[in-house]
Amino acid sequence: MALVLAIVKRSDDMRGFVVLPKRWIVERFFAHLMRTRRLVRDFERSTSSAEAMIYWSMTLLMTRRLARPRPSRA
């Protein structure tokens, strides 16, 4: 699996709040992980159990999204 890492830096001439591209995706992902109580702190002793908890958290998120009723189109 290939992974590409792109670092988005804020320029010095920006003033105030400016949305940086793709940064909100990462921050939203971390917010979803922090909803899972066990992932708020680093309780896991091995990386495999921490990875399993991340999969569990994302599985909960996906099942909630799939179970939501869709709004009907008018």
Side-chain angles (χ1 to χ4, degrees):
M1 178 170 97
L3 184 67
V4 177
L5 178 66
I7 298 173
V8 178
K9 293 189 177 187
R10 183 184 167 131
S11 65
D12 293 332
D13 59 339
M14 290 184 181
R15 308 274 302 166
F17 178 76
V18 177
V19 177
L20 299 175
K22 301 287 183 180
R23 185 171 179 164
W24 65 272
I25 297 171
V26 175
E27 290 177 1
R28 184 180 61 188
F29 172 74
F30 286 144
H32 286 305
L33 287 181
M34 291 303 117
R35 271 204 210 152
T36 307
R37 186 171 173 226
R38 192 167 168 178
L39 292 173
V40 171
R41 301 278 183 258
D42 192 17
F43 290 127
E44 309 304 323
R45 291 181 183 246
S46 67
T47 55
S48 61
S49 65
E51 183 181 359
M53 287 305 300
I54 290 172
Y55 280 126
W56 177 253
S57 177
M58 291 294 106
T59 302
L60 288 174
L61 176 68
M62 292 303 292
T63 54
R64 284 185 192 135
R65 286 184 179 177
L66 289 172
R68 251 191 318 206
R70 292 186 151 201
S72 60
R73 295 184 180 183

